[in-house]
Amino acid sequence: MSDIQLDVRTIPPRERHPQIFSTFDALPVGGSFVLVNDHDPKPLYYHFNAERAGTFGWDYLEEGPETWRVRISRAA
């Protein structure tokens, strides 16, 4: 089964993090999705680390320059 892809490039910026966290929170433990973005989502990584420390995995699949893809997985 392939990962769900969440392409946030067309979502208004203020709605992106809530949508991403909602998608993450709906995952079963061991589940994952691929975030597709138009910039490095490093600030999102810090947001996850602040709010979901120890519960997520973060793996870059593509690092720009136009598209970033990150697999975000639920560890706990």
Side-chain angles (χ1 to χ4, degrees), residues 2-9 32-42 44 57-73:
S2 62
D3 289 324
I4 298 165
Q5 285 215 77
L6 178 60
D7 187 339
V8 298
R9 294 174 291 186
S32 63
F33 68 97
V34 174
L35 173 69
V36 181
N37 207 349
D38 57 6
H39 63 274
D40 187 348
K42 189 61 91 174
L44 176 66
W58 184 276
D59 298 298
Y60 281 99
L61 304 176
E62 185 176 348
E63 295 185 66
E66 295 179 14
T67 303
W68 277 258
R69 296 173 64 242
V70 180
R71 178 176 292 115
I72 301 173
S73 55

Side-chain angles (χ1 to χ4, degrees), residues 11-62:
I11 298 174
R14 72 180 180 282
E15 297 174 15
R16 290 179 182 184
H17 284 204
Q19 178 67 47
I20 293 163
F21 277 96
S22 176
T23 301
F24 175 80
D25 290 340
L27 290 173
V29 172
S32 63
F33 68 97
V34 174
L35 173 69
V36 181
N37 207 349
D38 57 6
H39 63 274
D40 187 348
K42 189 61 91 174
L44 176 66
Y45 173 82
Y46 295 125
H47 192 173
F48 261 94
N49 215 27
E51 295 196 11
R52 305 287 194 285
T55 67
F56 72 98
W58 184 276
D59 298 298
Y60 281 99
L61 304 176
E62 185 176 348

